[in-house]
């Protein structure tokens, strides 16, 4: 395949899953700089997809009810674009059917589920074992595709995978501090207590204890973030933080505006959720709390930032794998302070 062909990359599930595809997209862009790279995403992640530096085109999955019905709708969307290859990072029946019906010559996907029969290049991965981070599984698929194109010396990539112009971010930070009356010398710790239901999370009482302890350090201001439907939770956390400098930042302006704010965060704290992986793609420092359940561990859903910019905490081996109450918040506070807030 010549280097200027058209490639479709599919990652059309949740926000965190999509953000963990950005290293794979960056790898594809770096090694095939002249290729036309399109991404298939749901409407929810479309705004972020449109600012992805590795994507030339964004196709929105209609997500119609019924996999056969949606597969046919996707076929109508994809076929006129005449892609030369598709790399499916997460396999579903409807997207697999569409890739086959459109006649895309090179079709790469994990060798899993019935949907694999629609692909002519199937890569064994065993993701259910959670033996490596999700973003590495995505990278492995792109590496297999690149090797199939005769690229032996694959050039690696490194974070950040998302970055906004420094001047723009500086202006936004100054405006945010004025609006929230935050002194310019205060370090901004973004704390996201919501979790979207994909994994267990700390209780509000645990987050409050963590914030009170870290808030005792000099020049700290917490920004409590809240996505749609999470405003009440953020307010309840705020009610427990009397005396701790903090403000609430709702995501009324959308995901891209939220991401731009995260670029000036000194630290981002949350459970295993989509906003955490936006912070990771920005290469911001992160401290995250995970259950120990195999499908949800800190290893499987590791952030894609540099290793020295991430900390992860899980319940001890002596506790139930999903018992987030067993996480020692006091110990976490000490580790976070030593790593990021000296």
């Amino acid at each position: 395949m010549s280097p200027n062909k058209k490639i479709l990359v599919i990652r059309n599930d949740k926000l965190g899953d999509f953000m963990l595809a950005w290293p794979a997209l960056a790898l594809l862009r770096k090694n095939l700089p002249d290729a036309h790279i399109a991404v298939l995403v749901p409407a929810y992640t479309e705004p972020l997809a449109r600012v992805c530096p590795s994507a030339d085109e964004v196709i929105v999955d209609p997500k119609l009810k019924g996999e056969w019905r949606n597969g046919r709708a996707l076929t109508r969307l994809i076929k006129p674009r005449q892609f030369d290859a598709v790399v499916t990072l997460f396999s579903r029946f409807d997207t697999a059917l569409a890739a086959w019906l459109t006649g895309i010559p090179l079709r790469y996907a994990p060798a899993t589920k019935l949907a694999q029969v629609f692909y002519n290049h199937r890569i064994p991965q065993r993701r259910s074992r959670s033996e490596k981070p999700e973003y590495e599984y995505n990278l492995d698929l792109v590496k297999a595709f690149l090797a199939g194109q005769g690229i032996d010396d694959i050039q690696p990539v490194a974070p950040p995978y998302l970055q906004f112009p420094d001047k723009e971010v500086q202006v936004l930070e100054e405006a945010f501090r004025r609006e929230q009356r935050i002194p310019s010398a205060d370090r901004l710790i973004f704390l996201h207590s919501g979790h979207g239901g994909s994994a267990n999370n700390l209780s509000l009482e645990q987050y409050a204890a963590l914030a009170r302890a870290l808030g005792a350090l000099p020049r700290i201001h917490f920004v409590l973030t809240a996505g749609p439907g999470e405003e009440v939770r953020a307010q309840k956390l705020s009610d427990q933080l009397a005396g701790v400098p903090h403000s609430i930042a709702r995501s009324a302006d959308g995901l891209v505006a939220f991401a731009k704010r995260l670029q000036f965060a000194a630290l981002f704290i949350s459970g295993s959720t989509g906003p955490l992986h936006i912070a990771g793609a920005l290469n911001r420092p992160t401290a995250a709390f995970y259950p120990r359940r195999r499908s949800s561990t800190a290893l499987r859903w590791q952030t894609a930032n540099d290793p020295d910019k991430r900390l992860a905490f899980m319940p001890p081996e002596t506790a139930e794998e999903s018992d987030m109450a067993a996480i020692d918040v006091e110990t976490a506070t000490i580790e976070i302070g030593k790593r990021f807030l000296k």
Side-chain angles (χ1 to χ4, degrees):
M1 187 182 78
S2 64
N4 60 348
K5 294 296 186 178
K6 299 180 70 173
I7 305 165
L8 174 63
V9 178
I10 297 176
R11 188 79 214 211
N12 59 336
D13 39 356
K14 294 183 179 179
L15 173 61
D17 304 290
F18 176 57
M19 297 312 301
L20 291 173
W22 286 44
L25 289 166
L27 188 71
L28 194 58
R29 169 59 69 214
K30 184 166 186 177
N31 288 274
L32 288 174
D34 297 322
H36 177 91
I37 300 173
V39 292
L40 177 70
V41 298
Y44 173 47
T45 61
E46 178 191 2
L48 277 172
R50 294 202 179 278
V51 298
C52 178
S54 303
D56 301 299
E57 181 183 5
V58 178
I59 304 171
V60 178
D61 188 337
K63 292 286 187 180
L64 302 179
K65 290 185 178 180
E67 292 197 285
W68 283 98
R69 184 183 178 208
N70 199 56
R72 290 192 294 269
L74 284 170
T75 302
R76 291 191 292 271
L77 271 177
I78 295 169
K79 192 168 186 175
R81 291 169 163 86
Q82 298 183 316
F83 288 108
D84 301 289
V86 57
V87 181
T88 298
L89 302 179
F90 178 75
S91 187
R92 293 166 45 101
F93 183 84
D94 53 352
T95 49
L97 175 65
W100 178 67
L101 288 175
T102 55
I104 299 175
L106 299 173
R107 302 184 302 278
Y108 282 74
T112 183
K113 304 179 182 177
L114 177 62
Q116 68 176 294
V117 302
F118 293 110
Y119 294 94
N120 51 13
H121 296 274
R122 299 181 285 272
I123 314 304
Q125 291 202 310
R126 305 290 187 269
R127 291 194 189 200
S128 61
R129 297 178 182 175
S130 297
E131 294 173 337
K132 62 173 70 175
E134 181 71 8
Y135 67 82
E136 288 194 13
Y137 287 117
N138 294 331
L139 283 167
D140 288 345
L141 282 160
V142 168
K143 288 175 183 177
F145 170 73
L146 291 171
Q149 310 320 302
I151 301 175
D152 299 320
D153 184 20
I154 297 175
Q155 299 299 304
V157 291
Y161 302 106
L162 171 62
Q163 191 168 27
F164 301 100
D166 290 340
K167 183 62 177 177
E168 179 185 1
V169 172
Q170 180 184 345
V171 171
L172 287 171
E173 179 178 358
E174 290 171 354
F176 181 75
R177 286 179 181 272
R178 284 196 303 271
E179 175 189 321
Q180 301 291 340
R181 299 180 180 178
I182 304 170
S184 59
D186 283 9
R187 294 169 288 184
L188 299 177
I189 299 180
F190 282 60
L191 195 161
H192 190 86
S193 63
H195 56 93
S198 59
N200 300 72
N201 200 2
L202 295 186
S203 66
L204 289 180
E205 289 72 24
Q206 286 173 296
Y207 275 125
L210 180 73
R212 285 193 295 268
L214 291 176
L217 297 172
R219 294 297 184 181
I220 295 293
H221 186 101
F222 283 93
V223 179
L224 310 182
T225 58
E230 297 173 339
E231 295 87 352
V232 171
R233 185 174 173 85
Q235 184 59 56
K236 287 181 177 179
L237 177 57
S238 174
D239 293 343
Q240 298 186 45
L241 296 181
V244 178
H246 71 279
S247 53
I248 298 176
R250 298 170 177 83
S251 60
D253 297 330
L255 283 175
V256 174
F258 177 74
K260 288 178 180 179
R261 283 180 177 174
L262 290 191
Q263 189 161 315
F264 57 75
L267 172 65
F268 184 86
I269 299 174
S270 77
S272 180
T273 188
L276 172 70
H277 295 296
I278 297 177
L282 288 160
N283 206 28
R284 302 312 303 151
T286 57
F289 298 89
Y290 301 82
R292 211 178 63 251
R293 190 171 61 249
R294 178 183 287 184
S295 62
S296 306
T297 62
L299 173 62
R300 175 68 184 276
W301 299 105
Q302 185 180 93
T303 47
N305 45 357
D306 287 326
D308 64 345
K309 291 186 176 181
R310 59 178 179 246
L311 277 175
F313 305 93
M314 293 191 297
E317 295 289 340
T318 54
E320 293 293 325
E321 58 185 17
S322 296
D323 183 9
M324 302 298 280
I327 292 177
D328 188 338
V329 172
E330 183 177 349
T331 299
T333 301
I334 293 170
E335 291 190 36
I336 291 169
K338 285 182 178 178
R339 175 72 67 88
F340 300 126
L341 302 172
K342 293 177 181 179

